[in-house]
Amino acid sequence: EAKAHHRGTWVMFAHEHETRMRLQGAIEHALRHADLAAELSLVFQPMVDVGQQRTVAFEALARWHSPELGLVSPDRFIPVAERVGLINELTQILLAKALRVMATWPAHVGLSFNLSMADITAPEAVGRLCALIKASGVDPSRLQLEATETAMIDDFAQAQAGLARLKALGVSLSLDDFGTGYSSLAYVHRLPVDKLKIDRSFTQGLMEHDSARKIIRSILELSRSLKLDCVVEGVETHEQAALLQALGCRTMQGYLFHRPMAPEAIGPYLRREDVGTSALDDTRFSRR
Ligand code: C2E
Ligand code: MG
Ligand code: MG
Ligand code: MG
């Protein structure tokens, strides 16, 4: 019985593994043959100051429309691009696009952009990113770069050097997915971090699990005592937002406010927010 069951489980895992390998192979093949500049695009998700009910920045999120594979999620193609050495090229294309879009926004709205480890640890790649940022002419204080801690500790000295060069431009640095295995406490004080982004897994457990609430509360306290900004990701409901606000969280991001949107949608979105007819108006946040 038990043996048969285990064998069945193994067969299933083996099958899943095979399917995953085949998919990764297909992604790798399509990526290598892609016209990346044409097929990659960005969508933007607002980060909202709930006290002021105002969008303070947008996070740029990559999308890949492959002619062969259709729309591929970044959770699938970014790891492959990292593995096959295409990530630096991909990041440059995306950052150039993001900076062009950002140039059309009002000056109080910032841009948050995700980087991979190789973007920070390869000196030539860092140099190209710095050049792009300078050439764009945008005020670097409006630009935040997001990375996970693993992205930095794998090659800590190189990461520190790369981050120092980027930070010298005047951009700020956010630790993404904070609280997960990818980002935790180990290196916060040794890296030039300005902001923590609390991972959405904690937000998802917020209403049901006391532990998630306690973890979020401690991270918020930690960020206050270290004088770091803090953003909570993955806020989907009014209940979550109200509880987070009660815990002292000011900046939030998630489907409650808006799904990631195409660049063309941002102008109208900000105008709705300006005249006070945005989706946020029926929320129970107090204006402060
Ligand atoms: P991330 O940086 O943590 O981005 C947040 C992810 O959560 C995004 O998924 C976003 O669409 C999703 N999300 C936002 N609000 C909610 C919500 O309320 N509920 C739920 N369930 N999900 C929400 P996306 O766009 O699929 O990106 C996945 C990951 O891919 C990102 O996680 C980031 O690590 C990576 N990524 C995306 N774009 C880039 C990029 O340009 N460069 C690099 N290196 N990585 C990127
Ligand atoms: Mg991010
Ligand atoms: Mg994140
Ligand atoms: Mg993530």
Side-chain angles (χ1 to χ4, degrees):
E1 260 277 353
K3 241 188 189 163
H5 173 75
H6 281 152
R7 195 152 48 223
T9 307
W10 188 83
V11 169
M12 197 178 77
F13 282 149
H15 180 72
E16 272 177 22
H17 180 71
E18 202 184 293
T19 308
R20 197 163 49 236
M21 296 306 285
R22 210 175 304 128
L23 181 63
Q24 284 190 11
I27 290 175
E28 178 177 340
H29 183 266
L31 260 187
R32 286 188 190 282
H33 295 86
D35 176 356
L36 288 174
E39 295 171 24
L40 286 172
S41 61
L42 287 164
V43 287
F44 295 85
Q45 186 178 38
M47 296 158 77
V48 177
D49 179 319
V50 291
Q52 298 182 44
Q53 299 199 21
R54 227 165 200 273
T55 296
V56 289
F58 289 90
E59 179 176 5
L61 295 159
R63 297 292 179 262
W64 178 31
H65 298 265
S66 157
E68 292 131 83
L69 303 174
L71 180 63
V72 187
S73 138
D75 280 331
R76 289 199 188 283
F77 72 82
I78 297 282
V80 177
E82 288 170 343
R83 186 166 48 77
V84 304
L86 285 169
I87 191 68
N88 293 154
E89 184 189 347
L90 199 141
T91 301
Q92 278 176 62
I93 291 169
L94 290 169
L95 182 61
K97 284 182 193 272
L99 290 167
R100 274 199 298 276
V101 173
M102 184 203 190
T104 68
W105 301 344
H108 70 275
V109 180
L111 171 74
S112 206
F113 185 87
N114 294 282
L115 293 180
S116 295
M117 168 176 74
D119 296 319
I120 300 165
T121 52
E124 327 78 61
V126 172
R128 280 193 294 268
L129 296 181
C130 288
L132 259 178
I133 294 167
K134 280 192 206 147
S136 75
V138 304
D139 176 356
S141 71
R142 291 171 63 196
L143 182 59
Q144 305 155 32
L145 300 172
E146 298 188 12
T148 61
E149 214 170 71
T150 15
M152 301 183 245
I153 55 181
D154 278 6
D155 195 345
F156 192 70
Q158 288 282 32
Q160 259 184 331
L163 288 173
R165 288 170 68 195
L166 287 161
K167 291 247 350 186
L169 299 174
V171 307
S172 62
L173 174 68
S174 307
L175 265 194
D176 204 355
D177 301 343
F178 192 78
T180 67
Y182 299 106
S183 273
S184 61
L185 283 173
Y187 285 85
V188 174
H189 62 291
R190 292 178 55 192
L191 290 165
V193 174
D194 304 284
K195 179 182 287 182
L196 307 178
K197 293 193 78 178
I198 301 183
D199 191 65
R200 70 165 183 268
S201 55
F202 300 109
T203 318
Q204 266 150 13
L206 191 60
M207 304 316 291
E208 301 91 80
H209 304 292
D210 207 32
S211 55
R213 195 160 19 217
K214 285 178 176 156
I215 289 168
I216 290 189
R217 185 189 291 132
S218 339
I219 300 177
L220 287 165
E221 265 165 32
L222 175 79
S223 69
R224 274 191 293 271
S225 54
L226 292 175
K227 301 208 167 31
L228 302 174
D229 289 332
C230 195
V231 183
V232 179
E233 310 181 315
V235 180
E236 294 181 353
T237 68
H238 288 295
E239 288 70 25
Q240 289 168 344
L243 178 51
L244 287 165
Q245 203 182 12
L247 292 176
C249 171
R250 291 188 59 89
T251 315
M252 301 182 202
Q253 183 179 350
Y255 295 167
L256 172 65
F257 305 99
H258 216 287
R259 299 223 168 207
M261 65 186 100
E264 310 81 67
I266 292 174
Y269 166 89
L270 289 173
R271 280 193 289 282
R272 282 198 302 281
E273 192 174 78
D274 267 345
V275 297
T277 54
S278 77
L280 297 182
D281 285 344
D282 63 321
T283 59
R284 289 170 223 149
F285 306 127
S286 50
R287 271 184 191 268
R288 274 183 299 197

